[in-house]
Structures are given as C-alpha cells and as structure tokens.
Amino acid sequence: MNAHPRPSGRFSVLPVLVIAALVLLMALCTVGGEGPAATVVPWAMVAGAATAAGWAVRRARADRRAYESRLTAWAASEAVLAERLRIAGDLHDIVSHGLGLITVRAAATRHLPKPPEVAAALTDIEDASRHATAELRRMLTVLREPETAGLRAPLDGLDDLPRIVDGAAVAGLRTRLTVEPLGEVSQGVQVAVCKTVREALNNAARYAGPTDVRVEVHRDGRHVVVAVSDAGPGHDGWHASPGAGHGLAALRERVGSLGGILTAQRVDAGFRVTARIPDGPA
C-alpha cells in the first residue's frame, strides 16, 4: 500500500539543449560569409548556445538533487507506513488472542450453576468479544494489501532472542546476549524488543562487518531497555555498505507507538542502538 505515488524523475532541460544545438547548426551555416555581420553573428550565436548549454547542465544537476531528496523522503515515508501496517497486524494478533481467551472463558461457564443476572452478563461478554474479534479482522483486511492479507508469521517473543542473536553469526558477527530478569512483559513490547535487536544486528553487519556485538536487555523501573552495541569495523580493509536509514525510521515509529524512545548514536569506534519502552503500571 503506497500512501503517495513515487516521485517523478522527469527533467525539463532537453528542449533547451535542442535549441542550443539548432543555434550552433545555424552558426555553422554562416561560416564563410563576408562582412562584419558574418564575423560577429556566428560568435554571438555560439556564445548564446554555450550559455544555454551551461544553464541546462546546472539545471539538470539541481533537478537531480531535488529528485533524489524527494525520493529519499518518499522511501522513508513508505517504510514508516509499512511498519504501521505491521504494527496493526501485530496488534490484531495480540488483542485477538486476549479476546479469544475471554470468549472461551465466558462460553465455558454456561454449564455451571449461576444466577440469571450472571448468565446474562457472561452471554453479553461472549457476544461482545466475538464481535470485537470480527471487527479487528475486518479492519486489518481493509488496511493490508490483498497480496499480504494471507498467512502471517508467528509473533517474536523474548524466548526467540537467542535464536535471533545466534543467527547473526552468518554475517560474521560475534555476539553476546545478556537478558536480566524482566518479570512479565506484554506481547507488544516483546515484539518491539525483537525488532530492535534484528535491525541493530543488520546495521552492525552492514556498517562494521565481522565485529563484536553486545545485546543487553534489562528492566529499569517500569521500562524495558534493550541496547545493541558493536565495536566498530573489525579490520581496516572493511568497506561499509550502509542502507538508506529507513529501517531505523520504521523502528522508531514502532517504539514510539508504544510510548518509548529509540536512540542511535556512535560510541567510540562503534555504534549503539537503544530502545527504552514503558511496560507496566505507571
């Protein structure tokens, strides 16, 4: 789903170049004539054509820079939109799971002896939760593109962190994971923690290559904090292959949607990505 069409890369200097070429051709046709005009006019035409060509080159470069700037802004906007759709999908999975449990528990009490008022209340709860689940599915189908509205991968959780971190060894990263006791963590925050670790490891592999990376997750009061720090390029011959930064923009959108803060900064020779996400009562 694209919120805005891709910026156009059309440039408007071609007519000027065509006119300049015609002027030069006309100047060449006057070569060999006699009189002052035959001497002055060709040079004036050549000067005019050269000036037009120079302006056209400068305009083309300026248009190209403006186009690249618009294209970068468009790509970042699309990355944020895609992340919002993924957040909507994750929200559906999390909320529908909770509503499903409510529905099952309410339905399971039908055979138990209870006052009529309680029976009516439980029926209302079951009906409301089923309706809310159906509405969630309907709205998610509207938001997502038809080709992406099929099967979804299971949500990542804190139990998946070792697998995510170990998988970075394929890119040559030497990782160390430390997870302190966190207590109960909501599913949305767990997904955001895993997304942060994935994106930070991908960035480390692109920018620093084979290097040491520390992944630390701990609780600070009501906040869950995840920090991924790399030691910088492992050797002098490494050539970074940086991306456009859209992954961090999308990740900042996800963390911000939970009321958290994402920071990305250089630390000594390396880089650190930190997400601080509130979770639990204020």
Side-chain angles (χ1 to χ4, degrees):
M1 179 184 294
N2 293 335
H4 307 287
R6 183 186 178 94
S8 172
R10 298 176 180 176
F11 307 115
S12 58
V13 299
L14 183 59
V16 177
L17 293 177
V18 172
I19 293 174
L22 291 175
V23 170
L24 284 175
L25 182 60
M26 294 173 60
L28 291 174
C29 292
T30 62
V31 174
E34 298 180 354
T39 304
V40 174
V41 171
W43 285 107
M45 297 174 72
V46 169
T51 301
W55 175 88
V57 171
R58 290 194 298 272
R59 177 61 183 272
R61 290 176 177 174
D63 286 349
R64 184 67 186 179
R65 288 193 296 268
Y67 168 70
E68 290 176 350
S69 177
R70 294 194 306 272
L71 186 62
T72 299
W74 173 83
S77 175
E78 290 300 306
V80 170
L81 174 61
E83 186 62 22
R84 287 182 177 181
L85 293 179
R86 283 191 288 269
I87 292 172
D90 294 344
L91 178 64
H92 164 268
D93 292 345
I94 295 168
V95 176
S96 63
H97 175 69
L99 289 174
L101 290 178
I102 294 173
T103 303
V104 171
R105 291 297 296 274
T109 60
R110 285 181 176 176
H111 67 283
L112 299 178
K114 50 190 172 294
E117 296 82 1
V118 175
L122 288 174
T123 300
D124 291 342
I125 292 172
E126 181 182 354
D127 291 342
S129 61
R130 291 186 187 277
H131 177 73
T133 302
E135 285 298 306
L136 272 175
R137 291 172 179 168
R138 183 180 66 82
M139 291 305 298
L140 184 62
T141 302
V142 171
L143 284 173
R144 289 159 59 186
E145 295 178 336
E147 59 269 21
T148 63
L151 297 176
R152 285 173 48 82
L155 292 173
D156 286 329
L158 295 178
D159 292 339
D160 297 302
L161 280 178
R163 173 179 55 82
I164 295 172
V165 172
D166 291 342
V170 176
L173 299 179
R174 300 178 295 274
T175 57
R176 186 171 76 249
L177 172 65
T178 303
V179 181
E180 297 182 2
L182 301 173
E184 184 176 353
V185 180
S186 64
Q187 183 66 61
V189 174
Q190 293 189 46
V191 173
V193 168
C194 293
K195 294 283 187 182
T196 301
V197 173
R198 284 186 188 276
E199 180 63 25
L201 290 174
N202 289 338
N203 284 343
R206 286 196 298 263
Y207 284 88
T211 188
D212 296 320
V213 182
R214 297 195 318 274
V215 179
E216 301 169 314
V217 185
H218 66 276
R219 181 176 285 278
D220 182 12
R222 62 181 295 262
H223 291 82
V224 174
V225 182
V226 53
V228 183
S229 308
D230 66 72
H235 52 82
D236 296 335
W238 170 255
H239 297 288
S241 55
H246 302 151
L248 282 178
L251 184 60
R252 188 170 283 110
E253 175 76 13
R254 175 178 288 271
V255 173
S257 71
L258 297 172
I261 299 175
L262 180 79
T263 59
Q265 58 188 357
R266 288 201 170 276
V267 178
D268 298 328
F271 205 77
R272 176 184 295 164
V273 176
T274 305
R276 183 179 177 86
I277 310 171
D279 185 58

